[in-house]
Amino acid sequence: MPAKKQTPAAAPSPSRQFSSILVDGPERAASRAMLHAVGFKTDDFRKNQIGIASTWSQVTPCNMHIDKLAIESAKGVDAAGGKSVIFNTITISDGISMGTEGMKYSLVSREVIADSIETVVGCEGLDGFVAIGGCDKNMPACVMAMGRLNRPSVFVYGGTILPGCHKGKDVDVVSVFEAVGQHAGGQIDDKELAEIEQCAIPGPGSCGGMYTANTMASAIEALGLSLPNSSSQSAIGDEKLQDCFDAGAAVLHLIKRGIRPSDILSRESFLNAITLITALGGSTNAVLHLPAMAHAAGIKLSIDDFTKIGARTPVLADLKPSGKYVMWELVKIGGTLPLMKILLNEGLLYGDCLTVTGKTLAENLAKVKATYPKGQQIIRPLSDPIKKTGHLAIMYGNLAPDGAVGKISGKEGTSFSGKARVFDSEELAMAAITGRKIKAGDVIVIRLEGPKGGPGMREMLGPTSAVMGLGLGKDVALITDGRFSGGSHGFVVGHITPEAFVGGPLAIVKNGDPISIDALTRKLTLGIPDSEIAARLAKWKQPKPRYTKGVLAKYAKLVNTASEGAVTDAGL
């Protein structure tokens, strides 16, 4: 692949915005006094002030340990000669809010978190920062803030959770959702459902499969914004503590070298990220988050880039949800670094992209062996992939003129045709599924769940998991203008744009309409005449907004389409 030369920006002057202002002049005495009160010494005002953006929260196990990780990063900053300043932002739990009205705040939180990190770093004039994230939305949010602020910064992943164990098998949060479907189908009783519920999540860390958190951690490392192997560590291991400490010191090194996110983030680095998550079989949410992250950095990235990368990149990782293994199993055999070396040797990665180590991706991987232990089954060889091309299928057609996203592992088949069963909310669909009113050959249509229509673009993990739990994974398809959890699998297509709320064709689908999904031709087709589609659209009236005040109303007013990342500052 062609090399991409990176030329770092001119080095910013030490403490150019924060401590230099506070040291100079008697008029800043009050500012210095306030910082003395939080622990600053006189010498600290002459050091680079480095923020530690912590996403700690007790609302989710993904982030419950990040307060301790933030302290380690602060120690790394201080040991390297800087002055650390820890601050927090919000985070929410998808798993806890899933299937409820509260889930509408999930994608919205990505914007709130990015805004809040930008606000603190910008207001306090911090010279650089470490951002520590551990769940689906706060991770891309951290990178969006890094792109906007363009100050020396490093992202740290909070780490993957260890698996739970039920009847000798690994279980995780998705196991619970699927157990709900099994319970509805009479395959397990109340006692076994309770047992799975109680053991599935044994402690701190992000959801254990190649769901959205592990997908985005891997993508961010491939972008060059994390230290090597940050994405492949347990949340509770010594390696993660060292990762945090080293990240704090790395920001000071970036300041010294004059390296900012704009020197690291490029179109090529984003293509590297897409390549790695394709090989890993990552979440459909990457198709939402990577364009949003690219937008924040001023880089052009299209959903069609996933098609181009997928055409040349095989799926090699046999990881949940569609595979057998959890992320912890990959961590134990070496993590993602050997896989990245394999992809680099194959010419699938741009090795000349700069990273937060101050070295290129190829230089970081120079001493990494492109092999895994003999006998392991988690990462397949290039000669025997799980799927020869990518699993993230960008689809178009008369139901999705501006695109949609399918997650086709190959196990579901490559096409599906059936009759529409239409629901105007996730709750209505879920009731029909668990009430066993869905039958083989149905195409479940869940609409008015898009970024504007929801608002908030909820994940359909409940319905997809219930379908799988009932044993209908190969017999039923599900399409939506909402999105999917990284834990969703089966014949599913989401992110349908334009969404129903703004008059996309999904809005006029009726029960019984024929729908076909073809992963090979990448077509999503409503099988009625164009004249009938036009007639229905002419009669369609937009529903009233579900929220008229507060953050959901503001989000619905500002957010752009899912095919462009569902960001809130595109039209400003």
Side-chain angles (χ1 to χ4, degrees):
M1 286 189 172
K4 178 161 191 334
K5 301 298 182 183
Q6 298 282 351
T7 304
S13 59
S15 306
R16 66 191 186 285
Q17 293 195 37
F18 185 50
S19 57
S20 60
I21 294 174
L22 295 173
V23 167
D24 295 336
E27 68 277 5
R28 305 307 298 172
S31 299
R32 293 193 294 272
M34 294 182 73
L35 289 170
H36 279 304
V38 300
F40 275 56
K41 307 300 182 185
T42 300
D43 287 347
D44 290 333
F45 297 116
R46 296 182 175 85
K47 300 175 181 177
N48 286 114
Q49 314 302 319
I50 308 301
I52 312 295
S54 167
T55 58
W56 172 82
S57 173
Q58 280 187 317
V59 304
T60 169
C62 309
N63 294 65
M64 63 186 283
H65 62 304
I66 286 179
D67 55 339
K68 297 179 179 63
L69 300 186
I71 291 171
E72 289 301 312
S73 283
K75 290 178 182 177
V77 167
D78 296 341
K83 175 56 181 170
S84 60
V85 180
I86 299 176
F87 65 92
N88 247 81
T89 182
I90 62 123
T91 199
I92 54 87
S93 171
D94 288 355
I96 293 171
S97 64
M98 196 73 70
T100 73
E101 192 74 1
M103 185 63 186
K104 293 180 178 180
Y105 290 89
S106 173
L107 187 57
V108 177
S109 76
R110 187 189 71 182
E111 310 305 301
V112 175
I113 295 163
D115 290 350
S116 65
I117 294 174
E118 178 190 355
T119 299
V120 174
V121 174
C123 178
E124 302 304 322
L126 300 176
D127 299 312
F129 62 100
V130 176
I132 309 174
C135 201
D136 299 8
K137 308 311 169 301
N138 56 53
M139 297 168 68
C142 288
V143 174
M144 290 164 69
M146 293 166 77
R148 292 178 192 174
L149 289 158
N150 198 29
R151 301 187 192 187
S153 47
V154 175
F155 176 80
V156 176
Y157 176 40
T160 188
I161 196 171
L162 299 181
C165 184
H166 179 254
K167 294 185 175 180
K169 295 183 178 180
D170 287 344
V171 290
D172 57 21
V173 64
V174 176
S175 305
V176 182
F177 282 95
E178 293 186 356
V180 171
Q182 294 168 340
H183 183 270
Q187 300 170 49
I188 63 174
D189 57 19
D190 292 350
K191 181 175 180 293
E192 187 165 359
L193 177 59
E195 288 172 354
I196 296 171
E197 172 190 325
Q198 292 163 19
C199 71
I201 303 175
S206 299
C207 298
M210 190 45 61
Y211 310 142
T212 304
N214 283 316
T215 297
M216 295 314 301
S218 302
I220 294 167
E221 184 173 330
L223 280 173
L225 293 178
S226 292
L227 295 176
N229 217 37
S230 180
S231 66
S232 302
Q233 295 167 341
S234 161
I236 59 175
D238 290 341
E239 281 187 328
K240 182 49 64 182
L241 294 176
Q242 188 65 52
D243 183 34
C244 292
F245 185 92
D246 292 345
V251 176
L252 274 299
H253 178 65
L254 292 173
I255 290 175
K256 185 177 180 179
R257 291 278 307 275
I259 298 174
R260 312 182 194 189
S262 59
D263 303 307
I264 295 171
L265 296 175
S266 64
R267 178 167 168 77
E268 288 78 6
S269 69
F270 274 94
L271 296 181
N272 282 346
I274 296 173
T275 299
L276 180 59
I277 64 171
T278 300
L280 288 167
S283 166
T284 55
N285 277 314
V287 187
L288 195 68
H289 296 323
L290 284 171
M293 292 152 60
H295 169 75
I299 294 165
K300 290 184 178 180
L301 193 73
S302 164
I303 59 173
D304 295 325
D305 288 316
F306 288 81
T307 300
K308 296 172 185 175
I309 294 296
R312 65 179 186 236
T313 307
V315 179
L316 301 176
D318 192 10
L319 294 168
K320 289 189 174 186
S322 55
K324 299 177 183 177
Y325 300 99
V326 294
M327 186 67 181
W328 171 238
E329 299 295 328
L330 178 57
V331 171
K332 289 191 292 184
I333 65 168
T336 57
L337 289 181
L339 175 58
M340 292 175 73
K341 186 61 173 284
I342 292 168
L343 297 172
L344 180 67
N345 288 350
E346 193 68 13
L348 296 173
L349 293 178
Y350 293 89
D352 283 356
C353 291
L354 194 64
T355 74
V356 291
T357 64
K359 300 177 181 179
T360 66
L361 179 67
E363 289 171 335
N364 288 344
L365 295 172
K367 296 182 180 179
V368 176
K369 293 182 179 180
T371 57
Y372 285 99
K374 289 183 179 180
Q376 65 83 27
Q377 300 294 318
I378 303 165
I379 301 295
R380 300 271 281 273
L382 285 164
S383 59
D384 184 28
I386 289 174
K387 192 172 184 290
K388 292 182 179 180
T389 55
H391 62 300
L392 296 173
I394 307 303
M395 299 184 179
Y396 292 92
N398 64 0
L399 258 181
D402 295 338
V405 183
K407 186 176 183 181
I408 310 298
S409 70
K411 296 179 181 179
E412 314 84 356
T414 56
S415 64
F416 191 98
S417 295
K419 300 293 185 181
R421 290 292 307 279
V422 183
F423 303 94
D424 284 344
S425 72
E426 177 188 0
E427 287 86 352
L428 292 172
M430 190 66 173
I433 296 166
T434 56
R436 309 195 74 174
K437 296 179 181 179
I438 300 298
K439 63 182 184 297
D442 284 344
V443 178
I444 302 167
V445 177
I446 306 178
R447 64 190 178 196
L448 296 176
E449 292 286 3
K452 288 183 177 292
M457 205 178 179
R458 289 192 289 184
E459 293 180 346
M460 301 294 121
L461 179 58
T464 59
S465 297
V467 165
M468 297 301 294
L470 284 167
L472 293 171
K474 294 183 179 181
D475 302 315
V476 168
L478 189 153
I479 68 173
T480 180
D481 53 6
R483 58 194 176 91
F484 297 114
S485 163
S488 293
H489 58 123
F491 219 110
V492 297
V493 180
H495 305 206
I496 293 175
T497 54
E499 62 176 284
F501 184 79
V502 300
L506 197 68
I508 52 86
V509 177
K510 295 181 179 180
N511 283 322
D513 283 347
I515 292 175
S516 63
I517 307 165
D518 192 322
L520 296 180
T521 61
R522 300 177 184 272
K523 291 290 186 181
L524 181 60
T525 305
L526 178 62
I528 63 175
D530 291 346
S531 58
E532 175 64 15
I533 293 175
R536 291 186 191 181
L537 286 172
K539 295 178 181 178
W540 176 83
K541 293 183 179 179
Q542 186 176 54
K544 292 182 179 180
R546 292 179 174 176
Y547 289 84
T548 57
K549 293 182 179 179
V551 66
L552 291 179
K554 287 189 287 186
Y555 181 84
K557 182 76 172 178
L558 293 171
V559 71
N560 72 350
T561 176
S563 62
E564 296 175 347
V567 299
T568 54
D569 61 352
L572 301 180

